């Protein structure tokens, strides 16, 4: 009986200390963006949760019903009662993970910002984009107020997001890119030093990024409390061009 009791207790301890990597994709993207990285993480024994935000990929939620809080609540629901979460946000996902950390800081071990918006209280994606003149997004972006959508010109997609991807991948992304729900991009985050400020932060730079430029990334890191920085010689989508290197970083951070 005591042996069984010990085993159950040991199992409980392992589960309590085990970490979970939660992946949050960016704008004009979906959960499939992590398809090359997820198997590499799982092969190393990591528990991985890949969140597909409403209105993205195969999800057909009406844009009219999608708010920034919709995304935050989706990520919180995916995390559930887990603790020791390594919460990874790509690009616009950086704003989502920041707000999640603000709301459930005790459950988040670390935030990993991958080529991501790293906000201060009151920032939104559009306000941060205005501070990034080197980004190629602005000249390719159309705002459709009537349908609440932000649209990237198809002929600019490869250059903005995946300039280092194989040509057939670039063509696939350009052919399949969808409009992005507009309202969440314009919604400010509400962050406090007590909650968001207390969570450990890591930044993964993407040097050849045309969506969130490297100078903008460096500026956000410089003006924030970031514990550790990695640098990849990639475009905005290292999960396509160098999934092995990105997986190594995430495995290292989950130790």
């Amino acid at each position: 009986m005591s042996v069984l009791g010990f085993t159950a207790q040991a199992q409980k301890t392992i589960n309590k200390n085990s970490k979970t990597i939660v992946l949050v994709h960016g704008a004009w993207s979906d959960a499939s963006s992590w398809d090359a990285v997820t198997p590499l993480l799982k092969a190393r024994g990591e528990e991985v949760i890949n969140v597909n935000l409403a209105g993205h990929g195969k999800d057909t939620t009406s844009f009219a019903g999608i708010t920034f809080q919709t995304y935050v609540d989706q990520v919180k629901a995916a995390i559930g009662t887990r603790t020791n979460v390594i919460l990874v946000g790509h690009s616009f996902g950086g704003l989502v993970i920041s707000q999640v950390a603000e709301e459930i800081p005790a459950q988040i071990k670390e935030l990993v910002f991958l080529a991501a918006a790293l906000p201060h209280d009151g920032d939104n994606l559009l306000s941060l984009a205005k501070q990034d003149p080197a980004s190629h997004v602005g000249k390719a972006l159309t705002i459709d107020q009537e349908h609440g959508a932000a649209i990237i010109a198809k002929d600019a997609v490869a250059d903005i997001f995946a300039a280092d991807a194989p040509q057939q991948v670039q063509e696939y992304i350009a052919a399949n890119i969808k409009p992005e729900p507009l309202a969440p991009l314009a919604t400010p985050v509400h962050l406090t030093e007590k909650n968001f400020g207390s969570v450990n932060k890591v930044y993964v730079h993407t040097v050849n990024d045309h969506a969130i430029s490297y100078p903008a990334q460096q500026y956000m890191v410089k003006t924030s409390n970031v514990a550790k920085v990695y640098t990849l010689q990639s475009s905005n989508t290292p999960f396509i061009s160098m999934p092995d290197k990105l997986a190594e970083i995430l495995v290292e951070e989950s130790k």
Side-chain angles (χ1 to χ4, degrees):
M1 217 30 214
S2 62
V3 172
L4 282 173
F6 171 77
T7 308
Q9 192 56 46
Q11 189 61 41
K12 199 180 277 183
T13 307
I14 290 164
N15 289 344
K16 195 174 166 217
N17 293 329
S18 65
K19 300 178 186 76
T20 306
I21 298 175
V22 177
L23 303 170
V24 181
H25 65 78
W28 299 287
S29 187
D30 62 63
S32 71
S33 59
W34 305 102
D35 281 358
V37 174
T38 304
L40 300 176
L41 297 175
K42 288 183 173 173
R44 300 286 287 270
E46 303 288 354
E47 184 192 14
V48 182
I49 297 174
N50 187 353
V51 183
N52 192 75
L53 300 177
H56 295 78
K58 295 184 176 72
D59 183 89
T60 55
T61 305
S62 162
F63 283 13
I66 298 171
T67 66
F68 182 69
Q69 194 63 39
T70 305
Y71 299 159
V72 173
D73 290 343
Q74 277 186 281
V75 176
K76 284 164 63 180
I79 291 169
T81 58
R82 289 174 181 82
T83 55
N84 268 344
V85 170
I86 313 289
L87 185 51
V88 184
H90 171 243
S91 208
F92 167 65
L95 289 151
V96 178
I97 67 169
S98 297
Q99 193 64 55
V100 171
E102 173 66 27
E103 295 184 17
I104 52 167
Q107 291 177 249
I108 312 300
K109 178 181 184 280
E110 183 172 273
L111 295 174
V112 178
F113 293 86
L114 171 62
L118 172 50
H120 293 278
D121 181 48
D123 284 339
N124 64 37
L125 189 70
L126 298 181
S127 71
L128 288 171
K130 283 182 185 144
Q131 300 166 33
D132 185 8
S135 169
H136 294 190
V137 172
K139 56 181 185 260
L141 180 66
T142 305
I143 301 296
D144 178 354
Q145 294 286 1
E146 187 189 345
H147 299 102
I151 300 158
I152 296 278
K154 284 191 187 297
D155 62 0
V157 168
D159 166 66
I160 291 170
F161 297 114
D164 55 355
Q167 189 176 347
Q168 67 269 26
V169 176
Q170 292 182 345
E171 288 168 3
Y172 177 83
I173 296 169
N176 289 278
I177 196 161
K178 293 180 176 178
E180 177 73 13
L182 178 61
L185 305 183
T187 304
V189 291
H190 297 293
L191 307 174
T192 63
E193 196 50 46
K194 178 172 177 278
N195 291 357
F196 173 69
S198 70
V199 180
N200 197 46
K201 298 169 189 69
V202 168
Y203 201 97
V204 183
H205 285 301
T206 43
V207 174
N208 303 313
D209 198 322
H210 295 163
I212 298 180
S213 74
Y214 184 42
Q217 294 176 26
Q218 290 174 302
Y219 179 77
M220 289 186 289
V221 168
K222 194 172 81 178
T223 57
S224 303
N225 187 15
V226 174
K228 195 170 178 185
V229 168
Y230 294 90
T231 304
L232 294 174
Q233 303 292 324
S234 85
S235 71
N236 183 253
T237 51
F239 36 75
I240 295 172
S241 59
M242 45 185 78
D244 48 344
K245 290 183 179 173
L246 178 56
E248 280 302 323
I249 291 171
L250 297 180
V251 168
E252 179 65 30
E253 285 310 308
S254 77
K255 283 178 182 168

